[in-house]
Amino acid sequence: TQLLEQSPQFLSIQEGENLTVYCNSSSVFSSLQWYRQEPGEGPVLLVTVVTGGEVKKLKRLTFQFGDARKDSSLHITAAQPGDTGLYLCAGGENSGTYKYIFGTGTRLKVLA
Amino acid sequence: DAGITQSPRHKVTETGTPVTLRCHQTENHRYMYWYRQDPGHGLRLIHYSYGVKDTDKGEVSDGYSVSRSKTEDFLLTLESATSSQTSVYFCAISESMTRGRETQYFGPGTRLLVL
């Protein structure tokens, strides 16, 4: 079974600070997704990256897929309280049909 | 927001009793999934469906069964609930499952407590 480890597990920072969340595996994935989940709700997709080395930016969020497609990072610039939530990475594996293996999650709290 | 509802949203039951959770979608998406979310484990796939009456197992399917008699409904049944099945259950849908780039849309979750 492929595993995705996220670090750190918990992160509490002040508004305006920068942060990076990591998603690592020993396995190769066909794609990598990042989700954000708020309390009492389901996860919501932020981005999908599919090519090794790919970088995508969404406003203050920068996502990178590792060259070997085994790892990914999420960087947030100038964090805001609205960024607070649980961030989940999910690796896509192709075993005939695609299924997604979810990481263990990073819980972020941004203090005003 | 994708039209996905889950019922019930909260349930408390006793060990050994059967429990059925319902997922209903209005998007006419072909693929539907059931996940459970537990601290330290992220989301784990229980079962998924790729069409009416077509289902397959995920990584944590023991103790669970599913049924899909209509495109819009996907039921998850715990035949005899155990305390280890206390969790938050999420339903998700997607249009396809073949390119590795699909968006999964998640429902609001069902919080299940087995005493």
Side-chain angles (χ1 to χ4, degrees), chain B residues 1-5 23-33 49-52 68-74 91-97 103 105:
Chain B
D1 290 344
I4 310 170
T5 56
C23 177
H24 178 78
Q25 60 144 331
T26 58
E27 305 298 319
N28 201 37
H29 282 1
R30 179 180 175 186
Y31 295 88
M32 299 185 75
Y33 315 80
S49 170
Y50 46 97
V52 173
R68 191 169 178 199
S69 58
K70 296 184 291 185
T71 298
E72 57 268 34
D73 290 325
F74 193 30
C91 173
I93 64 174
S94 68
E95 287 186 274
S96 70
M97 201 179 180
T103 298
Y105 299 95

Side-chain angles (χ1 to χ4, degrees), chain A residues 1 9 31 33 35 37 40-45 48 50 86 88 96-105, chain B residues 9 31 33 35 37 40-43 45 48 57 59 90 97-104 106-109:
Chain A
T1 303
Q9 280 189 289
S31 62
Q33 297 183 324
Y35 289 80
Q37 183 179 17
E41 299 180 7
V44 175
L45 181 66
T48 301
V50 298
L86 177 68
L88 296 161
T97 53
Y98 274 91
K99 291 190 281 289
Y100 288 93
I101 305 299
F102 279 81
T104 47
Chain B
R9 293 293 314 279
Y31 295 88
Y33 315 80
Y35 290 91
Q37 186 173 35
H41 290 278
L43 285 157
L45 182 65
Y48 65 98
K57 297 179 179 180
E59 63 178 304
F90 286 98
M97 201 179 180
T98 56
R99 298 184 302 130
R101 311 177 184 195
E102 297 82 2
T103 298
Q104 290 186 78
F106 285 83

Side-chain angles (χ1 to χ4, degrees), chain B residues 73-114:
Chain B
D73 290 325
F74 193 30
L75 304 181
L76 176 70
T77 297
L78 290 65
E79 301 291 347
S80 178
T82 67
S83 58
S84 65
Q85 293 176 312
T86 291
S87 187
V88 182
Y89 291 86
F90 286 98
C91 173
I93 64 174
S94 68
E95 287 186 274
S96 70
M97 201 179 180
T98 56
R99 298 184 302 130
R101 311 177 184 195
E102 297 82 2
T103 298
Q104 290 186 78
Y105 299 95
F106 285 83
T110 293
R111 191 173 294 273
L112 176 67
L113 174 61
V114 183

